[in-house]
Amino acid sequence: MPEQDLRDALIATARAMGPAGLNRGTSGNVSVRDPAGEGFFITPTGLPYASLSAEDIPLMKLDGTSSGRRKPSSEWRFHRDLYASRPEVSAVLHAHSTFAVSLACLRRDIPPFHYMIARFGGDTVRCADYAIFGSQALSTAALDAMEGRKGCLLANHGLLVAGRDLDEALALAIELEELCEQYWRACQLGEPVLLSAAEMHEVIEKFRGYGQQ
Ligand SMILES: [Zn+2]
């Protein structure tokens, strides 16, 4: 995809976050890897997505320097560190969506109450340790929680997902927010019955099979 189209696709994904229930205002951020290998494009800090044009999207290198007329999102560090350490990741999305934030405030991993938890790569969705927004400590905690996974919660903060492209990142974020809401609702009624390690292993193997088709 040419550079201009990639920036437009990034803006389209950012704008889709609101209607998808992932975002109100400017709290989230999204990025996409530059296929030319220089780094990644990321939403700028503090600008409403509705008013963005391609020229507002900075290009950031893996050394943390950026070019363009706008400053990158203040939360660029976990984007940078995911691209630097996970070659299969080409898009990263972060949101302060209501149900993910609610569960992240309990600082609990989401257990295997539903088989779709396996879509994120394991039998839980982990909650990363708390660190202040935008910090290297937060990025380090997030990458620990993301090990072998496509998504995690960030304690007292929100959700983070990493996909092979923008469409997958958006779909993962919607799925994770949905799972957070479903888990929250189930907990209102009682203690959800969890799937066993063997049952989750079976689901993970089945998803692996689908991926190879
Ligand atoms: Zn945030």
Side-chain angles (χ1 to χ4, degrees):
M1 195 184 281
E3 201 169 276
Q4 178 80 20
D5 293 352
L6 203 55
R7 290 182 198 224
D8 288 338
L10 179 67
I11 292 168
T13 303
R15 286 182 183 155
M17 289 168 70
L22 292 170
N23 212 5
R24 292 181 194 144
T26 61
S27 59
N29 39 76
V30 55
S31 66
V32 62
R33 193 191 287 275
D34 175 17
E38 283 200 54
F40 57 97
F41 298 103
I42 184 166
T43 45
T45 188
L47 286 179
Y49 295 149
S51 68
L52 289 182
S53 66
E55 294 71 35
D56 293 317
I57 303 298
L59 173 63
M60 185 158 226
K61 291 185 181 172
L62 296 182
D63 65 6
T65 60
S66 68
S67 55
R69 70 182 185 189
R70 305 287 186 191
K71 282 189 181 162
S73 165
S74 59
E75 300 191 286
W76 58 267
R77 282 183 178 80
F78 49 64
H79 294 260
R80 188 271 310 274
D81 292 345
L82 282 165
Y83 294 124
S85 65
R86 301 268 299 262
E88 82 283 11
V89 167
S90 285
V92 175
L93 190 153
H94 164 61
H96 297 183
S97 48
T98 303
F99 288 93
V101 167
S102 301
L103 294 185
C105 291
L106 302 178
R107 300 194 185 184
R108 260 191 236 154
D109 297 347
I110 308 174
F113 77 101
H114 191 289
Y115 75 87
M116 284 301 284
I117 289 288
R119 187 174 179 192
F120 295 86
D123 57 6
T124 60
V125 172
R126 301 186 193 105
C127 183
D129 291 342
Y130 178 78
I132 192 167
F133 74 94
S135 65
Q136 190 57 48
L138 175 59
S139 179
T140 302
L143 262 72
D144 281 353
M146 289 283 276
E147 192 177 348
R149 304 285 167 86
K150 292 183 172 186
C152 72
L153 300 178
L154 305 175
N156 306 83
H157 187 157
L159 66 78
L160 177 64
V161 296
R164 63 179 172 272
D165 55 29
L166 286 166
D167 286 345
E168 192 191 29
L170 182 64
L172 286 167
I174 291 169
E175 180 78 46
L176 183 49
E177 174 66 3
E178 181 84 2
L179 285 166
C180 288
E181 177 170 0
Q182 291 162 348
Y183 182 55
W184 179 84
R185 287 186 185 278
C187 288
Q188 305 307 300
L189 298 172
E191 193 172 339
V193 177
L194 302 182
L195 298 173
S196 70
E199 286 166 335
M200 285 302 282
H201 179 75
E202 194 180 11
V203 174
I204 291 166
E205 287 301 306
K206 195 161 181 174
F207 278 165
R208 204 165 279 154
Y210 282 137
Q212 285 162 2
Q213 280 167 13

